[in-house]
PDB file of all heavy atoms in Angstrom:
ATOM      1  N   ILE A  37      82.019 122.937  22.193  1.00 96.00           N
ATOM      2  CA  ILE A  37      83.459 123.166  22.046  1.00 96.00           C
ATOM      3  C   ILE A  37      84.034 123.787  23.313  1.00 96.00           C
ATOM      4  O   ILE A  37      85.091 123.377  23.800  1.00 96.00           O
ATOM      5  CB  ILE A  37      83.741 124.053  20.818  1.00 96.00           C
ATOM      6  CG1 ILE A  37      83.460 123.254  19.547  1.00 96.00           C
ATOM      7  CG2 ILE A  37      85.163 124.568  20.820  1.00 96.00           C
ATOM      8  CD1 ILE A  37      83.467 124.074  18.280  1.00 96.00           C
ATOM      9  N   ALA A  38      83.315 124.761  23.886  1.00 96.00           N
ATOM     10  CA  ALA A  38      83.792 125.409  25.107  1.00 96.00           C
ATOM     11  C   ALA A  38      83.867 124.416  26.264  1.00 96.00           C
ATOM     12  O   ALA A  38      84.846 124.403  27.024  1.00 96.00           O
ATOM     13  CB  ALA A  38      82.882 126.576  25.473  1.00 96.00           C
ATOM     14  N   VAL A  39      82.867 123.563  26.392  1.00 97.00           N
ATOM     15  CA  VAL A  39      82.878 122.550  27.460  1.00 97.00           C
ATOM     16  C   VAL A  39      84.023 121.571  27.238  1.00 97.00           C
ATOM     17  O   VAL A  39      84.735 121.202  28.175  1.00 97.00           O
ATOM     18  CB  VAL A  39      81.512 121.819  27.528  1.00 97.00           C
ATOM     19  CG1 VAL A  39      81.590 120.584  28.399  1.00 97.00           C
ATOM     20  CG2 VAL A  39      80.443 122.765  28.050  1.00 97.00           C
ATOM     21  N   GLY A  40      84.238 121.162  25.999  1.00 96.00           N
ATOM     22  CA  GLY A  40      85.340 120.242  25.689  1.00 96.00           C
ATOM     23  C   GLY A  40      86.695 120.839  26.021  1.00 96.00           C
ATOM     24  O   GLY A  40      87.551 120.173  26.608  1.00 96.00           O
ATOM     25  N   LEU A  41      86.883 122.103  25.665  1.00 97.00           N
ATOM     26  CA  LEU A  41      88.151 122.766  25.996  1.00 97.00           C
ATOM     27  C   LEU A  41      88.319 122.911  27.505  1.00 97.00           C
ATOM     28  O   LEU A  41      89.422 122.754  28.026  1.00 97.00           O
ATOM     29  CB  LEU A  41      88.220 124.138  25.320  1.00 97.00           C
ATOM     30  CG  LEU A  41      88.434 124.122  23.813  1.00 97.00           C
ATOM     31  CD1 LEU A  41      88.339 125.538  23.249  1.00 97.00           C
ATOM     32  CD2 LEU A  41      89.768 123.505  23.464  1.00 97.00           C
ATOM     33  N   GLY A  42      87.227 123.184  28.202  1.00 97.00           N
ATOM     34  CA  GLY A  42      87.286 123.293  29.663  1.00 97.00           C
ATOM     35  C   GLY A  42      87.666 121.970  30.308  1.00 97.00           C
ATOM     36  O   GLY A  42      88.505 121.932  31.217  1.00 97.00           O
ATOM     37  N   VAL A  43      87.072 120.892  29.834  1.00 97.00           N
ATOM     38  CA  VAL A  43      87.386 119.563  30.373  1.00 97.00           C
ATOM     39  C   VAL A  43      88.846 119.213  30.094  1.00 97.00           C
ATOM     40  O   VAL A  43      89.554 118.689  30.963  1.00 97.00           O
ATOM     41  CB  VAL A  43      86.430 118.498  29.773  1.00 97.00           C
ATOM     42  CG1 VAL A  43      86.911 117.091  30.065  1.00 97.00           C
ATOM     43  CG2 VAL A  43      85.029 118.699  30.314  1.00 97.00           C
ATOM     44  N   ALA A  44      89.321 119.521  28.883  1.00 97.00           N
ATOM     45  CA  ALA A  44      90.718 119.237  28.546  1.00 97.00           C
ATOM     46  C   ALA A  44      91.662 120.049  29.430  1.00 97.00           C
ATOM     47  O   ALA A  44      92.684 119.529  29.907  1.00 97.00           O
ATOM     48  CB  ALA A  44      90.973 119.553  27.072  1.00 97.00           C
ATOM     49  N   THR A  45      91.324 121.301  29.682  1.00 97.00           N
ATOM     50  CA  THR A  45      92.153 122.148  30.541  1.00 97.00           C
ATOM     51  C   THR A  45      92.219 121.592  31.951  1.00 97.00           C
ATOM     52  O   THR A  45      93.297 121.516  32.557  1.00 97.00           O
ATOM     53  CB  THR A  45      91.586 123.585  30.566  1.00 97.00           C
ATOM     54  OG1 THR A  45      91.550 124.079  29.230  1.00 97.00           O
ATOM     55  CG2 THR A  45      92.430 124.493  31.419  1.00 97.00           C
ATOM     56  N   VAL A  46      91.068 121.196  32.488  1.00 96.00           N
ATOM     57  CA  VAL A  46      91.037 120.621  33.838  1.00 96.00           C
ATOM     58  C   VAL A  46      91.834 119.315  33.885  1.00 96.00           C
ATOM     59  O   VAL A  46      92.569 119.059  34.849  1.00 96.00           O
ATOM     60  CB  VAL A  46      89.575 120.396  34.289  1.00 96.00           C
ATOM     61  CG1 VAL A  46      89.494 119.541  35.539  1.00 96.00           C
ATOM     62  CG2 VAL A  46      88.891 121.738  34.523  1.00 96.00           C
ATOM     63  N   ALA A  47      91.734 118.503  32.830  1.00 95.00           N
ATOM     64  CA  ALA A  47      92.471 117.237  32.795  1.00 95.00           C
ATOM     65  C   ALA A  47      93.979 117.473  32.785  1.00 95.00           C
ATOM     66  O   ALA A  47      94.730 116.821  33.527  1.00 95.00           O
ATOM     67  CB  ALA A  47      92.049 116.429  31.566  1.00 95.00           C
ATOM     68  N   PHE A  48      94.433 118.420  31.954  1.00 95.00           N
ATOM     69  CA  PHE A  48      95.872 118.709  31.914  1.00 95.00           C
ATOM     70  C   PHE A  48      96.352 119.304  33.230  1.00 95.00           C
ATOM     71  O   PHE A  48      97.438 118.974  33.711  1.00 95.00           O
ATOM     72  CB  PHE A  48      96.209 119.644  30.750  1.00 95.00           C
ATOM     73  CG  PHE A  48      96.321 118.920  29.434  1.00 95.00           C
ATOM     74  CD1 PHE A  48      95.437 119.180  28.405  1.00 95.00           C
ATOM     75  CD2 PHE A  48      97.314 117.976  29.226  1.00 95.00           C
ATOM     76  CE1 PHE A  48      95.529 118.514  27.199  1.00 95.00           C
ATOM     77  CE2 PHE A  48      97.425 117.306  28.029  1.00 95.00           C
ATOM     78  CZ  PHE A  48      96.528 117.573  27.012  1.00 95.00           C
ATOM     79  N   ALA A  49      95.544 120.185  33.822  1.00 95.00           N
ATOM     80  CA  ALA A  49      95.924 120.777  35.102  1.00 95.00           C
ATOM     81  C   ALA A  49      95.986 119.709  36.192  1.00 95.00           C
ATOM     82  O   ALA A  49      96.897 119.706  37.026  1.00 95.00           O
ATOM     83  CB  ALA A  49      94.934 121.872  35.491  1.00 95.00           C
ATOM     84  N   GLY A  50      95.048 118.778  36.174  1.00 92.00           N
ATOM     85  CA  GLY A  50      95.057 117.680  37.147  1.00 92.00           C
ATOM     86  C   GLY A  50      96.264 116.782  36.977  1.00 92.00           C
ATOM     87  O   GLY A  50      96.884 116.358  37.958  1.00 92.00           O
ATOM     88  N   ARG A  51      96.593 116.509  35.745  1.00 92.00           N
ATOM     89  CA  ARG A  51      97.765 115.674  35.472  1.00 92.00           C
ATOM     90  C   ARG A  51      99.043 116.365  35.958  1.00 92.00           C
ATOM     91  O   ARG A  51      99.915 115.741  36.568  1.00 92.00           O
ATOM     92  CB  ARG A  51      97.827 115.413  33.970  1.00 92.00           C
ATOM     93  CG  ARG A  51      98.923 114.506  33.543  1.00 92.00           C
ATOM     94  CD  ARG A  51      98.789 114.203  32.061  1.00 92.00           C
ATOM     95  NE  ARG A  51      99.971 113.496  31.608  1.00 92.00           N
ATOM     96  CZ  ARG A  51     100.543 113.683  30.446  1.00 92.00           C
ATOM     97  NH1 ARG A  51     100.036 114.548  29.611  1.00 92.00           N
ATOM     98  NH2 ARG A  51     101.598 113.004  30.112  1.00 92.00           N
ATOM     99  N   TYR A  52      99.143 117.663  35.695  1.00 90.00           N
ATOM    100  CA  TYR A  52     100.306 118.440  36.127  1.00 90.00           C
ATOM    101  C   TYR A  52     100.397 118.459  37.654  1.00 90.00           C
ATOM    102  O   TYR A  52     101.466 118.244  38.225  1.00 90.00           O
ATOM    103  CB  TYR A  52     100.180 119.857  35.570  1.00 90.00           C
ATOM    104  CG  TYR A  52     101.330 120.767  35.928  1.00 90.00           C
ATOM    105  CD1 TYR A  52     102.589 120.584  35.356  1.00 90.00           C
ATOM    106  CD2 TYR A  52     101.152 121.804  36.828  1.00 90.00           C
ATOM    107  CE1 TYR A  52     103.642 121.414  35.680  1.00 90.00           C
ATOM    108  CE2 TYR A  52     102.206 122.649  37.156  1.00 90.00           C
ATOM    109  CZ  TYR A  52     103.443 122.443  36.587  1.00 90.00           C
ATOM    110  OH  TYR A  52     104.478 123.264  36.909  1.00 90.00           O
ATOM    111  N   ALA A  53      99.249 118.674  38.303  1.00 88.00           N
ATOM    112  CA  ALA A  53      99.219 118.701  39.769  1.00 88.00           C
ATOM    113  C   ALA A  53      99.587 117.334  40.347  1.00 88.00           C
ATOM    114  O   ALA A  53     100.271 117.241  41.365  1.00 88.00           O
ATOM    115  CB  ALA A  53      97.847 119.135  40.261  1.00 88.00           C
TER     116      ALA A  53
END
Side-chain angles (χ1 to χ4, degrees):
I37 289 170
V39 168
L41 288 174
V43 168
T45 302
V46 168
F48 279 116
R51 184 174 171 218
Y52 181 71

